[in-house]
Amino acid sequence: MTVTPHSDTASLPPLQEQPAAVLEKTPLERYVAPDKPSLVGMSRTALGAALGAIGVPDAQSRMRVQQLFHWIYLRGAQSFDQMTSVSKELRAELDRHFTLARPEVVAELRSVDGTRKWLLRLPSEHPAERPHEVECVYIPETDRGTLCLSSQVGCTLSCSFCHTGTQRLVRNLTAGEIVGQVMMARDRLGDWPGQSGRPGAQPGGGGPPTQGERLVSNVVMMGMGEPLYNFEAVRDALDVVADHEGLGVSRRRITLSTSGVAPMIPRAGAELGVMLAVSLHAVSDEVRNELVPLNRKYPIADLLEACRAYPGLSNARRITFEYVMLKGVNDSLADAKALVRLLKGIPAKINLIPFNPWPGSRYACSDWEQIESFSEVVFNAGYASPVRTPRGRDILAACGQLKSATEKLSARERLALRAMAMTD
Ligand code: SAH
Ligand code: SF4
């Protein structure tokens, strides 16, 4: 599930003006798993090893790694031919052994507000099995563009309100597949130096974009999967994503969302140095056990203790607590007051997420008035009001109106939407 981490953007056009543009889904039969490894996602060390394996002498390795890193992550090269500072012979040799492939895009949804959602196909671990599919979403806002990445195919944690948790197949994404989502998004958005997608960019023009110039300025690990259950790959991927000689998304602009794997939070603080978001969703263990079964293992008190100890917290650097609004389950004003009490003393932001229903889900989204009253309690306690009236239409869309809007779509478009579990 993907959530917009900030809700203070310009209002959206009415829903009927938002036809989702959909690319037709590539039939599975045409899928061919890549036969050569991709260099995309590799760290400098891994690139050095890859070069060593094809006979590049040690003495040249450092310089060649710098060149590859630059072409892959700063310039977004999609073929070795583009790497004009690399000798022709080495380019041919690289091409014989490697690719620069990103995850394959099988469907793309575009909204007129600029939001894009991609369904990506990844090879399964066993050639005989069907390939896997994960989602990646781009959410443009006035002052930033946020890319939401998946960390796993499916999720083992089975939160009762989350569609991802119902999926049978689970595998960890590799670091390459996580970085590959950023590369794919920047390809599709035209967000590389010299491409016209970037605001103020001159086609054919020069140098690396500054952070503010980039369409993808922020990254959130809030797509499918529990990132702290795929720690090493997420860490290695974020190291590449944050590298200022490449993709250059600073760690302050990267947020990792966890369902509450308390014992991993210190390690996340020590090794990732990114912003933390915690899916709290309830104020009592009784309710949270139901919503987030992991709570039976790591109850609220343990989770909040780990949060309090998260390094570098201050008013300018807060933990985001996510709270999904479920009608009659966790949305009373008593819950709101308890939430505020619970978080006392932790530099925190509270992100109220309207529940996004899916076929077969047993919950309903809280009424808009209830979300507003809940948000008011939170606001009066000194937290930035996380859900604002201008976003009403957007929020209603998340709570089921998108579904009725999609009833007007063609069968093919509905199919693609269904493929992304956005409607039934
Ligand atoms: N596994 C991690 C990150 C991915 S989920 C986590 O649980 O934090 C990202 C966010 O989407 C979480 O806060 C999750 O609780 C929320 N979410 C999942 N399903 C949802 C739904 N149907 N409606 C609204 N939010 C949902
Ligand atoms: Fe969904 Fe996150 Fe729970 Fe996994 S941990 S089931 S992705 S909400």
Side-chain angles (χ1 to χ4, degrees):
M1 159 62 199
T2 301
V3 291
T4 313
H6 297 273
S7 50
D8 52 343
T9 50
S11 60
L12 292 169
L15 273 179
Q16 59 270 27
E17 286 176 22
Q18 292 186 44
V22 181
L23 287 184
E24 192 164 4
K25 223 180 142 190
T26 316
L28 270 183
E29 309 77 66
R30 275 199 251 141
Y31 179 77
V32 185
D35 58 345
K36 293 183 276 188
S38 174
L39 297 183
V40 165
M42 288 191 184
S43 62
R44 288 189 178 76
T45 313
L47 287 173
L51 288 171
I54 61 166
V56 172
D58 280 354
Q60 278 186 24
S61 186
R62 210 183 133 87
M63 184 255 297
R64 296 297 186 201
V65 165
Q66 279 304 103
Q67 288 176 328
L68 281 179
F69 204 88
H70 171 90
W71 281 108
I72 298 172
Y73 300 118
L74 197 79
R75 306 292 291 268
Q78 296 190 45
S79 84
F80 293 109
D81 279 351
Q82 285 171 262
M83 302 185 172
T84 44
S85 59
V86 178
S87 72
K88 269 212 169 91
E89 295 70 34
L90 180 56
R91 277 189 264 160
E93 197 58 15
L94 285 166
D95 195 42
R96 254 194 294 285
H97 296 276
F98 302 107
T99 71
L100 295 168
R102 294 70 158 119
E104 183 194 346
V105 178
V106 282
E108 174 178 272
L109 281 169
R110 286 187 198 194
S111 155
V112 287
D113 74 353
T115 300
R116 294 207 208 181
K117 182 160 177 158
W118 296 282
L119 186 67
L120 306 173
R121 194 171 284 161
L122 307 172
S124 59
E125 285 153 310
H126 309 289
E129 282 175 13
R130 288 161 69 92
H132 297 302
E133 290 182 342
V134 291
E135 293 175 7
C136 177
V137 182
Y138 175 70
I139 307 145
E141 297 175 86
T142 40
D143 61 339
R144 75 192 75 200
T146 303
L147 190 67
C148 177
L149 308 181
S150 290
S151 58
Q152 296 183 304
V153 175
C155 183
T156 51
L157 290 176
S158 311
C159 299
S160 54
F161 57 90
C162 174
H163 187 253
T164 303
T166 65
Q167 296 180 19
R168 205 172 48 85
L169 280 174
V170 179
R171 90 153 160 83
N172 282 337
L173 264 57
T174 63
E177 290 165 341
I178 298 169
V179 177
Q181 293 171 65
V182 183
M183 306 288 286
M184 173 284 304
R186 290 189 65 181
D187 295 346
R188 305 292 298 194
L189 294 164
D191 193 26
W192 295 110
Q195 295 186 328
S196 52
R198 290 187 285 123
Q202 299 298 317
T210 64
Q211 200 139 261
E213 266 184 327
R214 258 180 249 141
L215 292 176
V216 178
S217 63
N218 291 44
V219 163
V220 293
M221 300 295 309
M222 288 188 189
M224 295 167 74
E226 168 49 56
L228 295 186
Y229 275 180
N230 185 15
F231 190 85
E232 279 82 12
V234 167
R235 178 199 56 204
D236 294 351
L238 294 183
D239 282 348
V240 173
V241 171
D243 196 300
H244 62 90
E245 289 175 17
L247 291 163
V249 182
S250 86
R251 288 178 197 270
R252 297 193 57 125
R253 289 174 175 262
I254 301 177
T255 302
L256 178 142
S257 173
T258 177
S259 56
V261 189
M264 291 298 287
I265 289 178
R267 205 172 157 202
E271 294 181 40
L272 304 179
V274 299
M275 308 299 281
L276 186 66
V278 172
S279 295
L280 191 60
H281 305 321
V283 290
S284 72
D285 282 325
E286 196 192 346
V287 177
R288 196 163 189 271
N289 285 346
E290 270 310 298
L291 301 180
V292 185
L294 187 68
N295 194 70
R296 294 170 199 274
K297 222 168 160 185
Y298 311 120
I300 293 176
D302 297 6
L303 176 57
L304 293 184
E305 199 181 299
C307 289
R308 278 199 178 83
Y310 195 73
L313 288 188
S314 68
N315 275 344
R317 234 176 116 85
R318 299 164 190 246
I319 295 182
T320 300
F321 288 90
E322 295 158 283
Y323 197 95
V324 65
M325 298 299 293
L326 302 168
K327 188 173 184 164
V329 176
N330 63 356
D331 64 348
S332 73
L333 297 190
D335 288 325
K337 286 175 196 150
L339 176 62
V340 166
R341 274 200 303 276
L342 209 55
L343 299 184
K344 210 165 183 243
I346 307 178
K349 288 188 227 171
I350 297 171
N351 194 359
L352 301 182
I353 311 171
F355 172 60
N356 193 5
W358 37 275
S361 64
R362 58 177 121 135
Y363 302 104
C365 181
S366 306
D367 295 331
W368 172 238
E369 292 74 31
Q370 192 61 24
I371 299 181
E372 269 195 329
S373 322
F374 194 105
S375 143
E376 214 169 281
V377 172
V378 167
F379 177 73
N380 289 339
Y383 296 96
S385 184
V387 183
R388 288 181 191 166
T389 330
R391 288 304 295 254
R393 271 194 300 245
D394 189 26
I395 283 153
L396 288 169
C399 289
Q401 287 208 351
L402 185 61
K403 177 169 177 287
S404 36
T406 62
E407 267 147 23
K408 298 192 197 82
L409 300 177
S410 71
R412 201 190 77 200
E413 288 165 334
R414 274 206 303 279
L415 191 75
L417 275 171
R418 193 182 310 136
M420 297 188 208
M422 286 179 73
T423 182
D424 60 3

